[in-house]
């Protein structure tokens, strides 16, 4: 991700390029000296020149130039990854920008400071900075600040919640496009990261759509920005377009995009882009069934892969190696990936099961090898008796060890089964038998235990309900899910509004005890059963579908609240609908729209919406069972890739 930011900084580091400073000899001399120092690697001396340039411009009354060079100084620290120095410098420069009314540079520096917190392994502090930026901008009625804050939120969400990243980047693009002035660099950044989030979500159709918008933006920018180097941003755009085309199976078009990247990179000679090109070529070759070619590409990028934390090259290489009859190397890659980031069980439990499975297979091989060795020795020395004794010894020892491993494995799996039973007992399986109310829900964990939740509480004519999805899966997610469920019940009993409940749950779950940075997306509602009035709060969750409109069902447009558990002290915003009587409300987790088949194709939002529109409503249970059957058919026998939870309710 850092490479992307550096590209953005390259494009915005144009100190005084927009000003006419040709007749200012002192300024020109400082520019030359700064360039020489940077070329020599004398960064500290170069930073001092930035200060002299800013001071000189300010004395001349050229505030815009002074602001630009101050911004560039912070940008240099960012490019050099001097995060601790940047944070200190950014605070000082932001105060100057605010004092001199340079709001554009003010927000850009604030954003760089937030990113530095992120890269310093302080993601919650980075998110808090984005929140403060948004609050400041809203207080000052500043769309520039709001757009920058949404952009920063997207940056922080990108690796933990693609849905939230997509929404916040879409917000930033909309705001930047509405503003006058040159916001090409900001839009370029938002489009790039938005396309990356869509790729992560495997929403390749929308990724391609936004890539096309991005290309139009760059073409316009190139026409209006004489002298700016556009190669790098065009490279990024073509690479992202190739990603979308590969995902859609349009391999020939993807190869054309990659050929254009190679042409542009001949001028840049950037090793990182050469690496990415090889990864995409290997991915395209694999999907086209050219496995030997995919292996050859992956052999070339493998040395570069070790110094990079990008997951895709490892997956591409592992899959290619399997098809290339090199399973041992593929297994090693998968093992390293798993050790780096467990996404199914708690690490300890999963490692135990994997180790048991591995040992089981290894011991089988050992038995075979030892038997061969025994027979060889017996044949040479004609010691049949000794060979028989060795055979019996190895067989007995291995059989005993295998029995112990099987027993241990069964014990762990039995404990996980018990954990699943406990978890399932925490969600209701009986639903209200009340005239005028039809409520039903179901939860299907992808593994023994999961992180989804749902619940309801009925108090006279007031029905509270919620559905949620905890980050990750397995035992840690189930424990976090249990806490969220308990808090929902407790706070609903106190008669709080949905937004208040989300605020209280967030404060409880986002404290210092949440060292793993876990979070939960939730949709929480309160409906008056007499009037149908619905109060709700969406905490970073997928948009529900509300039926009964002219389209026979549409996604709700909602306030983009953050997920619960990330920001302590966040005030969640609630919304309401006058009445949902006669209008089915369908809520779900992303195990539905992101369900994948054997070709890694997702069920998708469009298919979800069309399925609901094509389903005649008979009961809430019938709607959920219909969707469950459609998802199962879509999977084509593939194992579930995520927990699947659905809730449907209708008032008559």
């Amino acid at each position: 991700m850092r490479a992307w930011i550096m590209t953005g900084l390259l494009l915005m580091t144009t100190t005084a390029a927009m000003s006419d400073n040709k007749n200012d000899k002192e300024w020109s001399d400082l520019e030359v000296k700064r360039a020489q120092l940077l070329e020599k690697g004398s960064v500290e001396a170069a930073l001092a020149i930035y200060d002299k340039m800013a001071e000189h411009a300010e004395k001349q009354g050229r505030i815009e130039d002074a602001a630009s060079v101050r911004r560039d100084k912070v940008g240099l620290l960012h490019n050099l990854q001097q995060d601790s120095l940047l944070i200190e410098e950014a605070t000082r420069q932001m105060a100057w920008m605010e004092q001199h009314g340079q709001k554009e540079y003010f927000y850009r520096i604030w954003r760089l400071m937030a990113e530095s917190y992120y890269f310093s392994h302080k993601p919650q502090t980075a998110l808090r900075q984005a929140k403060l930026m948004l609050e400041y901008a809203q207080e000052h009625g500043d769309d520039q600040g709001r757009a920058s804050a949404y952009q920063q939120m997207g940056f922080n969400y990108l690796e933990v919640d693609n849905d939230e990243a997509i929404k916040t980047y879409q917000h930033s693009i909309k705001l930047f496009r509405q503003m006058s002035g040159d916001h090409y660099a900001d839009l370029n950044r938002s489009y790039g990261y938005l396309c990356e989030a869509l790729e992560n979500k495997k929403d390749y159709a929308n990724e391609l759509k936004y890539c096309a918008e991005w290309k139009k933006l760059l073409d316009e920018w190139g026409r209006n920005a004489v002298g700016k180097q556009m190669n790098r941003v065009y490279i990024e755009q073509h690479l992202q377009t190739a990603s979308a085309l590969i995902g859609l199976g349009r391999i020939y078009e993807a190869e054309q995009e990659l050929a254009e990247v190679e042409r542009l990179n001949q001028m840049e000679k950037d090793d990182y882009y050469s690496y990415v090109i090889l990864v995409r070529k290997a991915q395209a070759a694999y999907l086209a069934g050219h496995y030997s070619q995919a292996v050859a590409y992956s052999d070339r990028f493998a040395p570069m892969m070790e110094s990079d934390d990008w997951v895709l090259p490892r997956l591409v290489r592992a899959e290619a190696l399997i098809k290339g009859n090199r399973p041992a190397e593929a297994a090693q890659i998968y093992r390293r990936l798993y050790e780096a980031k467990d996404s199914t069980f708690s690490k300890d439990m999963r490692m135990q099961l994997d180790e048991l499975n591995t040992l089981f297979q290894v011991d089988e091989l050992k038995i075979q090898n030892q038997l061969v060795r025994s027979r060889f020795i017996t044949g040479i020395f004609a010691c049949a008796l000794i060979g028989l004794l060795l055979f019996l010894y190895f067989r007995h020892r291995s059989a005993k060890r295998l029995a112990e491993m099987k027993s241990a494995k069964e014990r762990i799996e039995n404990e996980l089964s018990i954990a699943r039973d406990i978890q399932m007992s925490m969600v209701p399986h009986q639903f209200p038998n009340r005239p005028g109310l039809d409520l039903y829900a179901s939860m299907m964990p992808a593994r023994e235990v999961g992180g989804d939740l749902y619940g309801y509480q009925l108090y006279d004519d007031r029905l509270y309900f919620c559905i949620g999805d905890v980050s990750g899966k397995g035992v840690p997610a189930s424990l976090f899910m249990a806490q969220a469920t308990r808090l929902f019940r407790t706070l609903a009993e106190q008669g709080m509004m949905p937004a208040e409940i989300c605020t209280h749950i967030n404060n409880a779950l986002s404290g210092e005890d949440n060292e793993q940075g876990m979070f939960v997306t939730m949709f929480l509602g309160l409906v008056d059963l007499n009037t149908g009035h619905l109060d709700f709060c969406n905490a970073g969750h997928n948009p529900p579908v509300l039926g009964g409109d002219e389209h026979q069902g549409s996604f709700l447009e909602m306030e983009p609240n953050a997920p619960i558990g990330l920001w302590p002290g966040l005030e969640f915003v609630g919304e309401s609908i006058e009445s949902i009587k006669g209008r089915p409300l369908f809520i779900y987790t992303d195990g539905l729209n992101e369900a994948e088949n054997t070709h890694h194709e997702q069920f998708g939002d469009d298919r979800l919406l069309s399925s609901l529109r094509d389903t005649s409503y008979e009961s809430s249970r019938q709607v959920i069972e219909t969707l469950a059957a459609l998802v199962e058919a879509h999977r084509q026998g593939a194992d579930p890739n995520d927990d699947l939870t659905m809730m449907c309710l209708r008032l008559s």
Side-chain angles (χ1 to χ4, degrees):
M1 191 184 286
R2 195 87 178 207
W4 239 111
I5 298 160
M6 291 183 183
T7 300
L9 286 168
L10 172 71
L11 291 167
M12 76 179 199
T13 305
T14 54
T15 302
M18 305 281 297
S19 302
D20 185 8
N21 298 313
K22 294 179 181 178
N23 299 323
D24 189 337
K25 186 176 184 305
E26 183 177 347
W27 177 271
S28 299
D29 289 344
L30 287 170
E31 280 189 315
V32 171
K33 188 174 182 179
R34 179 186 63 179
Q36 291 172 342
L37 290 169
L38 288 173
E39 188 174 353
K40 292 177 183 177
S42 304
V43 175
E44 189 172 344
L47 290 172
I49 299 296
Y50 278 99
D51 292 333
K52 288 182 180 180
M53 292 178 70
E55 183 180 351
H56 175 76
E58 196 170 350
K59 284 181 180 178
Q60 297 286 322
R62 302 202 312 264
I63 300 301
E64 179 75 16
D65 287 340
S68 178
V69 77
R70 287 170 180 273
R71 184 276 322 274
D72 287 352
K73 182 182 180 183
V74 179
L76 177 65
L77 291 170
H78 191 283
N79 276 350
L80 296 173
Q81 302 184 26
Q82 299 293 318
D83 295 317
S84 58
L85 288 176
L86 184 150
I87 291 167
E88 181 181 347
E89 183 70 26
T91 304
R92 186 167 69 88
Q93 299 297 359
M94 283 172 60
W96 187 93
M97 298 293 178
E98 189 172 27
Q99 180 184 353
H100 291 82
Q102 298 295 312
K103 68 175 185 177
E104 182 175 342
Y105 293 147
F106 171 79
Y107 286 117
R108 285 183 175 176
I109 291 174
W110 198 345
R111 206 168 57 211
L112 290 177
M113 181 172 68
E115 287 167 5
S116 290
Y117 278 119
Y118 178 89
F119 288 120
S120 300
H121 307 292
K122 298 176 181 177
Q124 287 201 354
T125 305
L127 282 167
R128 196 175 299 116
Q129 287 295 320
K131 170 180 175 280
L132 291 171
M133 193 191 307
L134 182 60
E135 290 174 349
Y136 180 94
Q138 288 174 333
E139 182 180 338
H140 290 78
D142 194 341
D143 282 348
Q144 166 78 30
R146 290 176 60 219
S148 296
Y150 280 128
Q151 192 178 75
Q152 183 57 37
M153 287 179 189
F155 177 81
N156 284 276
Y157 285 137
L158 194 57
E159 294 186 12
V160 295
D161 190 335
N162 288 310
D163 287 328
E164 280 304 305
I166 290 165
K167 283 191 284 189
T168 50
Y169 278 125
Q170 287 172 333
H171 276 295
S172 72
I173 287 171
K174 181 179 179 181
L175 286 166
F176 279 129
R177 281 197 172 281
Q178 288 173 350
M179 287 185 279
S180 59
D182 181 353
H183 294 286
Y184 289 110
D186 291 312
L187 282 165
N188 170 70
R189 176 190 176 93
S190 287
Y191 271 113
Y193 280 136
L194 172 59
C195 290
E196 185 178 335
L198 289 164
E199 178 190 358
N200 293 342
K201 194 180 176 183
K202 300 183 181 178
D203 188 353
Y204 302 118
N206 274 317
E207 182 186 4
L208 189 61
K209 168 193 162 187
Y210 281 106
C211 279
E213 286 186 19
W214 187 11
K215 177 67 161 52
K216 289 181 182 177
L217 172 81
L218 297 185
D219 290 343
E220 180 183 343
W221 190 7
R223 288 193 298 272
N224 298 329
V226 178
K228 287 188 178 180
Q229 296 179 355
M230 299 295 291
N231 274 358
R232 287 178 174 268
V233 286
Y234 270 115
I235 285 173
E236 297 282 0
Q237 192 276 335
H238 284 297
L239 283 172
Q240 207 66 56
T241 303
S243 151
L245 291 167
I246 289 169
L248 293 169
R250 294 158 61 176
I251 305 302
Y252 175 72
E253 294 170 79
E255 289 172 342
Q256 289 180 308
E257 294 289 328
L258 293 173
E260 179 63 13
V261 175
E262 286 187 302
R263 185 188 70 79
L264 293 170
N265 198 39
Q266 285 175 356
M267 293 176 269
E268 297 297 322
K269 295 181 171 55
D270 190 302
D271 291 340
Y272 183 77
Y273 289 134
S274 298
Y275 164 53
V276 178
I277 292 167
L278 286 171
V279 172
R280 294 300 185 190
K281 281 187 170 183
Q283 189 183 17
Y286 178 86
L287 292 175
H290 305 145
Y291 302 126
S292 59
Q293 191 177 35
V295 172
Y297 284 133
S298 78
D299 283 340
R300 289 172 61 189
F301 72 64
M304 295 176 272
M305 183 178 76
E306 297 306 317
S307 60
D308 183 76
D309 59 1
W310 190 17
V311 173
L312 178 66
R314 290 160 172 80
L315 293 175
V316 170
R317 177 161 170 75
E319 291 177 349
L321 288 170
I322 290 172
K323 293 293 187 181
N325 200 27
R326 291 159 63 180
E329 294 173 73
Q332 189 176 24
I333 293 172
Y334 283 129
R335 170 64 66 175
R336 287 179 181 174
L337 278 173
Y338 192 83
E339 289 172 349
K341 187 174 182 180
D342 171 27
S343 63
T344 305
F345 297 104
S346 70
K347 193 163 186 178
D348 289 342
M349 280 196 175
R350 186 65 184 179
M351 286 291 288
Q352 286 181 51
L353 287 175
D354 283 354
E355 190 173 313
L356 289 170
N357 286 329
T358 303
L359 287 172
F360 185 95
Q361 295 165 4
V362 169
D363 276 352
E364 290 284 5
L365 291 174
K366 281 183 178 180
I367 291 171
Q368 295 174 16
N369 291 337
Q370 289 162 349
L371 289 175
V372 170
R373 189 179 298 112
S374 297
R375 290 173 186 145
F376 179 73
I377 294 170
T378 302
I380 294 176
F381 297 102
C383 297
L385 180 58
I386 295 174
L388 178 60
L389 290 174
L390 286 172
F391 170 78
L392 292 173
Y393 168 72
F394 286 129
R395 181 181 181 123
H396 174 73
R397 189 180 70 171
S398 298
K400 182 179 179 181
R401 188 171 182 185
L402 289 174
E404 290 172 351
M405 288 190 295
K406 286 180 179 178
S407 176
K409 183 178 179 182
E410 288 171 359
R411 184 177 67 253
I412 293 172
E413 291 177 339
N414 183 55
E415 289 173 357
L416 289 173
S417 178
I418 293 170
R420 176 191 174 96
D421 292 341
I422 294 172
Q423 182 185 20
M424 294 301 291
S425 70
M426 297 183 66
V427 296
H429 298 283
Q430 300 294 324
F431 300 97
N433 183 14
R434 175 176 176 139
L437 171 62
D438 182 9
L439 171 66
Y440 188 77
S442 72
M443 182 172 74
M444 292 167 278
R447 297 292 184 267
E448 280 81 354
V449 288
D452 280 5
L453 63 96
Y454 71 85
Y456 76 87
Q457 298 287 103
L458 181 59
Y459 304 106
D460 297 327
D461 296 325
R462 292 158 58 86
L463 173 70
Y464 286 90
F465 59 93
C466 74
I467 191 168
D469 184 0
V470 176
S471 58
K473 306 174 189 69
V475 174
S478 70
L479 295 174
F480 204 76
M481 165 266 195
Q483 288 181 285
T485 303
R486 175 181 56 81
L487 288 165
F488 161 71
R489 291 173 180 166
T490 302
L491 297 170
E493 286 177 2
Q494 299 176 29
M496 292 185 180
M497 295 296 286
E500 291 180 279
I501 294 175
C502 288
T503 299
H504 280 77
I505 296 177
N506 180 67
N507 289 336
L509 296 182
S510 60
E512 295 180 358
D513 292 338
N514 187 10
E515 296 179 356
Q516 302 300 317
M518 298 189 73
F519 61 90
V520 56
T521 66
M522 289 186 76
F523 182 89
L524 201 151
L526 168 61
V527 63
D528 186 314
L529 300 183
N530 290 324
T531 65
H533 182 85
L534 173 67
D535 291 292
F536 66 90
C537 180
N538 182 61
H541 199 71
N542 297 325
V545 178
L546 182 62
D549 60 4
E550 64 273 20
H551 304 296
Q552 300 304 310
S554 303
F555 290 114
L556 280 181
E557 294 187 4
M558 301 173 296
E559 184 74 24
N561 285 305
I564 289 170
L566 290 174
W567 289 342
L570 183 64
E571 291 291 332
F572 284 75
V573 178
E575 300 170 82
S576 65
I577 297 174
E578 187 61 30
S579 177
I580 62 168
K581 277 200 169 184
R583 306 183 66 186
L585 180 65
F586 181 79
I587 323 166
Y588 57 95
T589 61
D590 56 17
L592 174 56
N593 57 321
E594 295 181 8
E596 294 181 352
N597 60 18
T598 53
H599 301 292
H600 302 293
E601 296 168 341
Q602 293 190 344
F603 192 77
D605 291 339
D606 292 340
R607 186 176 294 154
L608 164 60
L609 200 57
S610 64
S611 297
L612 287 170
R613 288 171 175 172
D614 293 341
T615 301
S616 59
Y617 183 92
E618 297 174 9
S619 69
S620 291
R621 180 167 186 166
Q622 166 258 338
V623 170
I624 287 177
E625 289 178 347
T626 299
L627 265 294
L630 290 172
V631 169
E632 188 65 29
H634 170 75
R635 284 199 186 107
Q636 300 174 347
D639 290 334
N641 56 301
D642 202 353
D643 307 328
L644 170 57
T645 302
M646 295 177 281
M647 175 181 283
C648 185
L649 71 89
R650 184 185 185 190
L651 303 179
S652 58

